[in-house]
Amino acid sequence: QVHLVESGGGMVQAGGSLRLSCAASGRTFRIYRMAWYRQAPGKQREHVATVSVSNSPTYADSVKGRFTISRDNAKNTMYLQMNDLKTEDTAVYYCNVPDHLQPWGGGTLVTVSS
């Protein structure tokens, strides 16, 4: 089992930037793809971005060109650099292992104001 802790959220104005971190416990972090998800108020949780073991990314269309996902296997940490934030990016952001879903962490809240 992998224990996941998200951090880095906050309140920012539209057009601003934030960098989220996901700290994972366990030696198995480096053998799995990792992903960011988000859940906006009143909506279903949705996929945001995935990073492969070798740091190859994929993105949801809604964040492509604005968000950058990366990982540091030596630190068991994954990141999400979010630029040009929009009000519709407001959500609780979670990380997880897409091929072996783990218990969801508490997430980190991102609030983007206009």
Side-chain angles (χ1 to χ4, degrees):
Q1 185 168 322
V2 179
H3 182 59
L4 303 163
V5 179
E6 302 91 349
S7 63
M11 185 176 293
V12 65
Q13 287 192 322
S17 299
L18 283 173
R19 189 193 195 204
L20 307 184
S21 298
C22 168
S25 66
R27 294 176 293 176
T28 55
F29 172 85
R30 62 194 65 194
I31 69 172
Y32 291 132
R33 296 190 307 156
M34 295 292 297
W36 285 99
Y37 303 81
R38 67 186 181 187
Q39 187 166 18
K43 294 188 176 181
Q44 299 271 21
R45 186 175 287 148
E46 64 175 0
H47 170 261
V48 174
T50 298
V51 62
S52 72
V53 172
S54 59
N55 246 323
S56 177
T58 57
Y59 299 98
D61 288 344
S62 58
V63 306
K64 204 171 291 184
R66 300 187 297 121
F67 291 10
T68 302
I69 189 172
S70 62
R71 67 192 294 164
D72 185 335
N73 288 337
K75 296 181 178 179
N76 275 16
T77 303
M78 177 177 66
Y79 305 98
L80 186 69
Q81 177 66 43
M82 305 187 297
N83 298 329
D84 190 24
L85 282 160
K86 304 176 186 295
T87 55
E88 53 262 43
D89 295 319
T90 294
V92 178
Y93 285 70
Y94 303 88
C95 59
N96 216 311
V97 186
D99 299 318
H100 299 277
L101 282 178
Q102 302 298 305
W104 294 94
T108 187
L109 176 62
V110 172
T111 304
V112 184
S113 62
S114 58

